[in-house]
């Protein structure tokens, strides 16, 4: 027997919960389908024990919640995040243990059939996909060539240093997860080797304010996806920074000073010897430049606006440049017995049986609205702006999508909206007018997008406030899930 509901939300992470909150406020019939058996699953089961959000509490609030007003600049621990999600989800129609396997569209009615593993399907007028991009841990192909005695973990499965076997640790990937785990390991007494990529560095605080406060003031979080230099730029790794210990700066030069062996990116492995790219110093220089760009942007803003903030000069460290450029490293000689792959996550929207993704597998949409009436996305990095994938920004996109549903825009009732829909009836003039208006708007939006794409590269260069490099660097490239919308791993 098929259940009918107006809207199905697929995924019960922060994006799905935010959408549900706004649907509730508008008294919209809906259900949230979450694969896990309880709230906060991604934070509970896919983060290490000492994990803390990298965004301050003022940036970590779901809609309608005034949280931690007494400590807005503090950072939430993993357990705090889990408890927060548990409390928030209690008020919403979330169904757990619901693994969505298939989403297809009925050509005649325009409605959607949501297939669920071992459950009856649900028929809905609207489907909002809120599964995020961080669905499956990516472990690169060279992992298969490591000796069998080496313990290998993805950062997704890492919990604490006691989880590893005796010996040194190779961490592959130096964006937020890799850098934070490497720091925890060497501070616990482990010998650590870190394969470094092109992720930038941002100071945790500068001139009396948190870096994220400055980014918000500078307009960084409101940058539109159209301002990116390329579509691939939205997958770039995040800069080194940490919310642990009350929030602090991560600096690879300090790692080197503390005894970490820094390496270039890992290329391959043969007979227990890893082959390395000679790019360590270039990568360190890129991180230094990112910090310098951030400092310049803040200083210019302070001078331009006349803000009264303390002067500050950040420490200049060079220790990483003193380390040699190794072309290879023998695991046995180095005593490496563990490898942690901080190499990001993959995503797959093939459960949607419609051509809704581009060549990168990323959904084709405009602020979450697809070409298929009633089908939406929310919670993806750069869905609309820089903050779309953050707890900080998901609320705005969730409210927008809810508005589309509540007002009937992009609705399945519009017969002309899709070539798969039934032909229009004679009395459907209002629907035709709405469709004609949307088509005209879409045409001019496309023209504008074509023009702005040519300008985007120049604009990004003018406005590159410590933006991380988006180049792909072998097995190092990483798009992190730390504050981004947690996947429900559908």
């Amino acid at each position: 027997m098929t259940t009918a509901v107006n809207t199905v939300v697929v995924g019960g992470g922060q994006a799905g919960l935010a959408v549900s909150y706004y649907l509730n406020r508008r008294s919209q019939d809906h259900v949230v389908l979450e694969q896990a058996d309880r709230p906060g699953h991604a934070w509970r089961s896919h983060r290490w024990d000492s994990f803390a959000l990298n965004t301050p509490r003022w940036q970590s609030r779901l809609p309608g919640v005034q949280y931690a007003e007494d400590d807005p600049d503090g950072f939430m621990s993993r357990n705090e995040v889990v408890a927060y999600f548990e409390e928030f989800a209690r008020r919403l129609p979330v169904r757990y243990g619901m693994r969505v396997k298939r989403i297809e569209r009925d050509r005649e009615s325009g409605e959607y059939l949501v297939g669920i593993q071992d459950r009856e399907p649900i028929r809905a007028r609207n489907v909002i996909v809120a599964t995020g991009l961080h669905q499956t841990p990516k472990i690169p192909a060279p992992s298969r060539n490591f000796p069998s005695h080496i313990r290998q973990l993805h950062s997704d499965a890492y919990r604490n240093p006691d989880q590893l076997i005796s010996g040194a640790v190779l961490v592959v990937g130096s964006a937020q997860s890799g850098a934070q785990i490497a720091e925890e390991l060497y501070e616990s007494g482990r010998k650590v080797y870190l394969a470094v990529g092109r992720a930038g560095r941002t100071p945790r605080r500068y001139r009396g304010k948190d870096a994220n406060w400055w980014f918000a003031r500078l307009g960084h979080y409101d940058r539109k996806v159209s301002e990116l230099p390329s579509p691939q730029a939205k997958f770039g790794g995040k800069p080194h920074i940490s919310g642990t210990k009350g929030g602090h700066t991560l600096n690879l030069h300090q790692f080197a000073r503390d005894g970490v062996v820094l390496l270039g990116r890992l290329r391959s492995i043969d007979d227990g010897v890893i082959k390395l790219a000679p790019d360590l110093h270039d990568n360190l220089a890129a991180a230094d430049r990112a910090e310098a760009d951030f400092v310049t942007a803040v200083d210019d803003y302070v001078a331009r606006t006349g803000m009264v903030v303390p002067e500050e000069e950040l420490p200049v460290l060079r220790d990483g440049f003193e380390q040699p450029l190794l072309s290879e490293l023998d695991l046995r000689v180095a005593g490496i017995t563990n490898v942690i792959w901080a190499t990001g996550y993959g995503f797959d929207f093939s459960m949607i049986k419609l051509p809704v993704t581009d060549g990168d597998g990323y959904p084709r949409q405009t602020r979450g609205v697809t070409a298929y009436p009633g089908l939406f996305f929310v919670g993806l990095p750069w869905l609309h702006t820089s903050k779309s994938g953050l707890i900080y920004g998901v609320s705005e996109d969730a409210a927008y999508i809810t508005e589309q549903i509540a007002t009937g825009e992009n609705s399945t009732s519009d017969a002309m909206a899709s070539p798969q829909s039934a032909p229009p009836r004679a009395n459907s003039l209002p629907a035709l007018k709405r469709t004609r208006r949307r088509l005209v708007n879409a045409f001019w939006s496309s023209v504008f997008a074509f023009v702005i794409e040519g300008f985007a590269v120049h604009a990004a260069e003018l406005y590159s406030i410590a933006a991380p490099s988006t180049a792909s660097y072998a097995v190092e490239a990483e798009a992190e899930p730390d504050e981004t919308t947690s996947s429900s791993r559908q």
Side-chain angles (χ1 to χ4, degrees):
M1 179 177 179
T2 302
T3 302
V5 66
N6 189 60
T7 300
V8 167
V9 182
V10 183
Q14 59 256 32
L17 295 180
V19 168
S20 181
Y21 168 83
Y22 285 111
L23 289 171
N24 258 3
R25 287 187 62 182
R26 289 179 172 271
S27 300
Q28 292 286 311
D29 175 41
H30 74 284
V31 64
V32 180
L33 305 181
E34 166 58 39
Q35 172 185 316
D37 59 358
R38 49 186 172 169
H41 173 71
W43 308 96
R44 185 196 317 271
S45 304
H46 299 275
R47 303 293 188 274
W48 56 95
D49 296 346
S50 65
F51 174 87
L53 289 182
N54 294 324
T55 51
R57 284 186 171 90
W58 63 268
Q59 280 189 311
S60 305
R61 296 169 180 150
L62 288 168
V65 177
Q66 293 300 311
Y67 177 77
E69 292 295 304
D70 58 336
D71 185 22
D73 295 320
F75 298 89
M76 297 172 69
S77 69
R78 185 192 68 167
N79 292 340
E80 247 186 302
V81 177
V82 170
Y84 178 48
F85 273 64
E86 286 179 333
E87 178 61 30
F88 191 85
R90 285 194 184 101
R91 299 171 270 167
L92 303 173
V94 185
R95 296 173 61 184
Y96 296 97
M98 307 291 282
R99 183 181 182 86
V100 175
K101 301 292 290 182
R102 188 180 185 89
I103 300 171
E104 52 191 334
R105 190 164 187 246
D106 186 306
R107 294 189 178 187
E108 293 185 2
S109 68
E111 294 181 332
Y112 294 90
L113 195 65
V114 181
I116 307 166
Q117 183 172 301
D118 301 325
R119 306 291 179 109
E120 294 297 324
I122 298 177
R123 182 175 288 273
R125 295 187 59 181
N126 306 290
V127 174
I128 304 172
V129 181
T131 56
L133 291 189
H134 307 101
Q135 298 170 10
T136 306
K138 289 194 302 186
I139 299 182
S143 66
R144 297 192 292 267
N145 299 326
F146 275 76
S148 59
H149 70 275
I150 300 287
R151 178 164 174 71
Q152 298 187 58
L153 289 174
H154 190 274
S155 57
D156 185 87
Y158 171 78
R159 295 296 172 264
N160 56 65
D162 294 338
Q163 188 180 12
L164 306 180
I165 61 178
S166 178
V169 187
L170 169 64
V171 179
V172 182
S174 66
Q176 288 181 358
S177 292
Q180 291 174 29
I181 291 172
E183 181 185 51
E184 175 173 272
L185 289 171
Y186 85 71
E187 288 184 343
S188 74
R190 293 276 185 161
K191 181 64 177 178
V192 174
Y193 293 78
L194 178 61
V196 173
R198 296 279 289 188
R201 179 177 71 252
T202 302
R204 180 73 270 180
R205 295 180 182 86
Y206 180 62
R207 301 193 70 170
K209 302 290 186 182
D210 187 85
N212 288 20
W213 188 93
W214 285 117
F215 279 132
R217 182 58 66 94
L218 292 164
H220 175 85
Y221 295 114
D222 295 319
R223 292 172 63 200
K224 300 292 193 298
V225 65
S226 59
E227 297 176 55
L228 289 173
S230 72
Q232 289 72 35
K234 57 181 168 283
F235 305 122
K238 298 192 182 73
H240 317 140
I241 205 166
S242 178
T244 61
K245 307 174 187 176
H248 68 286
T249 301
L250 296 179
N251 191 318
L252 298 185
H253 294 295
Q254 185 64 52
F255 283 19
R257 180 172 293 189
D258 292 339
V260 175
V261 178
L262 303 179
L263 309 169
R265 59 191 170 92
L266 189 153
R267 281 177 162 170
S268 62
I269 180 170
D270 182 31
D271 196 24
V273 177
I274 58 174
K275 310 297 182 180
L276 303 163
D279 58 359
L280 170 61
H281 293 174
D282 291 340
N283 296 343
L284 292 172
D288 292 347
R289 285 195 300 272
E291 183 179 76
D293 289 345
F294 170 83
V295 166
T296 298
V298 171
D299 289 347
D300 288 349
Y301 179 84
V302 169
R304 186 172 67 253
T305 61
M307 283 184 65
V308 179
V309 291
E311 295 288 340
E312 182 175 357
E313 188 170 330
L314 297 177
V316 178
L317 303 179
R318 306 279 297 174
D319 300 73
F321 294 123
E322 297 174 5
Q323 297 207 0
L325 295 177
L326 299 178
S327 60
E328 61 182 36
L329 181 69
D330 189 307
L331 299 177
R332 182 186 58 80
V333 173
I336 293 173
T337 56
N338 305 273
V339 177
I340 295 177
W341 298 98
T343 44
Y345 292 76
F347 56 90
D348 181 4
F349 293 102
S350 61
M351 66 176 176
I352 305 171
K353 304 307 176 183
L354 294 166
V356 295
T357 56
D358 60 20
D360 296 317
Y362 190 87
R364 297 180 187 275
Q365 43 71 39
T366 301
R367 200 173 184 180
V369 180
T370 74
Y372 293 90
L375 180 62
F376 307 92
F377 289 85
V378 69
L380 300 177
W382 289 99
L383 182 83
H384 179 55
T385 65
S386 173
K387 63 185 175 185
S388 286
L390 303 175
I391 298 177
Y392 172 59
V394 72
S395 179
E396 292 181 17
D397 291 335
Y400 178 81
I401 294 301
T402 302
E403 175 75 13
Q404 305 306 300
I405 291 174
T407 59
E409 292 295 326
N410 199 269
S411 170
T412 55
S413 64
D414 189 339
M416 285 293 288
S418 168
Q420 295 183 3
S421 300
R425 297 189 298 270
N427 62 354
S428 62
L429 185 59
L432 289 171
K433 286 182 177 179
R434 289 198 303 271
T435 300
R436 188 177 297 112
R437 184 173 63 251
R438 284 204 297 273
L439 290 173
V440 171
N441 289 342
F443 170 77
W444 285 112
S445 294
S446 298
V447 172
F448 179 70
F450 177 79
V451 175
I452 200 67
E453 278 300 314
F455 176 71
V457 173
H458 179 62
E461 290 174 352
L462 293 176
Y463 199 61
S464 60
I465 307 171
S469 168
T470 57
S472 175
Y473 279 82
V475 300
E476 178 277 331
E478 176 173 28
E480 305 264 359
D482 295 351
E483 273 69 69
T484 55
T485 301
S486 55
S487 131
S488 58
R489 287 169 169 76
Q490 296 291 336

